[in-house]
Amino acid sequence: MSTTHRKHAAKHISCAVITVSDTRTKETDKSGKKIIDQLTNHEHQVNLYEIIPDEGDQIRRTVEKSIYGENIEAVIVNGGTGISHRDVTIESIEPLFDKQLPGFGELFRHLSFQYDIGTASILSRAICGVCNHCIIFSIPGSTGAVTLAMEKIILPEVGHMVREIHKDLE
């Protein structure tokens, strides 16, 4: 990102963190906690944190609640991005997108291949898009994937992305 873009990037983003899991609780959700810790360490605000089961309707409703009913600029969904029958996060939120950012998933899989899980990165269906002037990230639920996505992509770019989404609305 150029110096000009960095200078104008949003500094304090209002976020929602949604963990999709049939087994995690707020006590055992290491990935959700990691996302929250990294956001707050970078002076972003977490206005919503929920753990929901791998149920398509509930995933969609929770994301919609975040982007339409809360003061949220960025949503980070973790879990449910694999290829098993119960992994329905992508199918649940992708139809909500006004715009999709395919580069996010492409870059995530490249970095995941390079730094984390090698060729198993082809199983990831991580995506990103914009809906209702809000950026939505959907990443795998493993702690390694969350760390990689947050440190290498989301934290460096989320302020720039929010600024770009809102610049024509001002």
Side-chain angles (χ1 to χ4, degrees):
M1 176 166 43
S2 74
T3 305
T4 304
H5 283 132
R6 275 203 179 102
K7 185 173 131 182
H8 296 291
K11 304 284 187 233
H12 308 287
I13 308 299
S14 172
C15 303
V17 176
I18 301 167
T19 296
V20 176
S21 173
D22 289 330
T23 58
R24 292 184 190 168
T25 66
K26 289 194 176 180
E27 292 76 36
T28 62
D29 184 18
K30 293 178 185 173
S31 294
K33 287 178 187 173
K34 183 158 211 57
I35 294 167
I36 291 168
D37 288 346
Q38 289 194 356
L39 288 168
T40 56
N41 287 342
H42 284 82
E43 300 182 10
H44 301 303
Q45 185 175 347
V46 178
N47 289 352
L48 177 75
Y49 168 50
E50 290 197 25
I51 299 174
I52 57 174
D54 288 292
E55 297 292 340
D57 288 343
Q58 195 164 353
I59 295 166
R60 183 187 41 75
R61 280 194 311 271
T62 304
V63 171
E64 286 178 327
K65 178 176 86 170
S66 299
I67 60 177
Y68 292 113
E70 304 285 336
N71 181 27
I72 303 293
E73 298 169 295
V75 177
I76 303 171
V77 181
N78 76 95
T81 64
I83 60 172
S84 78
H85 178 71
R86 295 283 298 155
D87 291 326
V88 296
T89 300
I90 304 307
E91 291 77 13
S92 303
I93 64 174
E94 194 172 36
L96 299 175
F97 292 165
D98 300 321
K99 296 182 183 206
Q100 190 163 350
L101 285 79
F104 173 80
E106 294 163 1
L107 180 57
F108 175 80
R109 284 181 285 281
H110 172 77
L111 293 172
S112 188
F113 171 81
Q114 188 175 10
Y115 294 111
D116 192 21
I117 58 173
T119 55
S121 63
I122 66 169
L123 278 70
S124 171
R125 298 183 304 136
I127 61 170
C128 178
V130 177
C131 181
N132 195 40
H133 314 297
C134 182
I135 190 78
I136 303 168
F137 300 95
S138 182
I139 59 178
S142 74
T143 306
V146 162
T147 301
L148 182 78
M150 292 299 292
E151 292 178 359
K152 299 282 188 187
I153 308 171
I154 296 173
L155 289 170
E157 289 299 325
V158 69
H160 180 207
M161 296 168 102
V162 167
R163 170 70 183 132
E164 285 297 307
I165 291 169
H166 291 113
K167 74 179 184 181
D168 296 333
L169 303 175
E170 300 166 352

